[in-house]
Amino acid sequence: GAMAEVTGLPPPPPSAPPPPVVDADAAKTPILIVDDDPTVVTMLSGYFSKKGYPVATASDGLEAMNLLSTRPFEVVIADLNMPRLDGWGLLRMIREDLRTHETPVALFSAQDNYRESLRLVQAGAQAYFPKTIKLSALELQVRELCEPRRRFTRLLASDGGMEFDFGALGPQWVL
């Protein structure tokens, strides 16, 4: 290797495994996943856990409400069709409970029905998507739902005045 000396490049560093990408925001974003289908729960919780999100799971709306009453979650991702308490009932209970009524709720359904999604948004859901959604797209949705609050927290930490939309944040949450 006469060529190697000529280039004067340092030897390549010993290969270290790249550190896992842990998003600081993700670590502060506890997610509650609610579905009676264990394969869906496993898939979703596995994906979000790997990304660094603290994840809790429930198999129906009643179990979800029990969890919600014990600690705060940044986002609830729930299936529409579940036994005992379905996505509709869960949404209604979350919106009626003072502790949870500002928690963003994303609902998904095996039926991709436009009329249904419209009703959900009017009932207070922040997002609606078909079960065929890609996990990366779902994570983007979750990040979008948390963004108004994160932006608010960042602005609060910075100097200067700020404007924010009380409606998007929830007055309760702001206070």
Side-chain angles (χ1 to χ4, degrees), residues 116-138:
E116 187 92 318
S117 63
L118 219 57
R119 275 179 62 207
L120 277 167
V121 172
Q122 285 162 349
Q126 272 73 11
Y128 169 85
F129 32 78
K131 275 206 168 166
T132 49
I133 190 170
K134 290 192 175 67
L135 287 172
S136 52
L138 179 56

Side-chain angles (χ1 to χ4, degrees), residues 94-115:
I94 287 175
R95 290 294 163 254
E96 285 168 3
D97 189 318
L98 273 176
R99 289 167 303 190
T100 57
H101 75 116
E102 290 168 355
T103 305
V105 178
L107 289 153
F108 58 91
S109 160
Q111 295 87 39
D112 188 7
N113 178 332
Y114 178 71
R115 207 174 287 129

Side-chain angles (χ1 to χ4, degrees), residues 22-128:
V22 173
D23 180 345
D25 274 340
K28 299 194 291 275
T29 310
I31 298 176
L32 176 57
I33 294 165
V34 195
D35 197 331
D36 58 316
D37 180 344
T39 50
V40 173
V41 169
T42 304
M43 180 182 73
L44 289 176
S45 61
Y47 177 85
F48 282 105
S49 299
K50 255 196 219 75
K51 293 275 183 178
Y53 293 85
V55 176
T57 63
S59 57
D60 67 35
L62 292 177
E63 207 180 305
M65 281 312 291
N66 286 339
L67 276 167
L68 282 162
S69 65
T70 61
R71 62 186 205 267
F73 289 94
E74 281 293 305
V75 181
V76 176
I77 301 174
D79 186 12
L80 262 189
N81 312 307
M82 295 181 289
R84 292 209 302 165
L85 182 63
D86 66 1
W88 283 107
L90 177 60
L91 179 61
R92 203 168 300 119
M93 285 182 77
I94 287 175
R95 290 294 163 254
E96 285 168 3
D97 189 318
L98 273 176
R99 289 167 303 190
T100 57
H101 75 116
E102 290 168 355
T103 305
V105 178
L107 289 153
F108 58 91
S109 160
Q111 295 87 39
D112 188 7
N113 178 332
Y114 178 71
R115 207 174 287 129
E116 187 92 318
S117 63
L118 219 57
R119 275 179 62 207
L120 277 167
V121 172
Q122 285 162 349
Q126 272 73 11
Y128 169 85

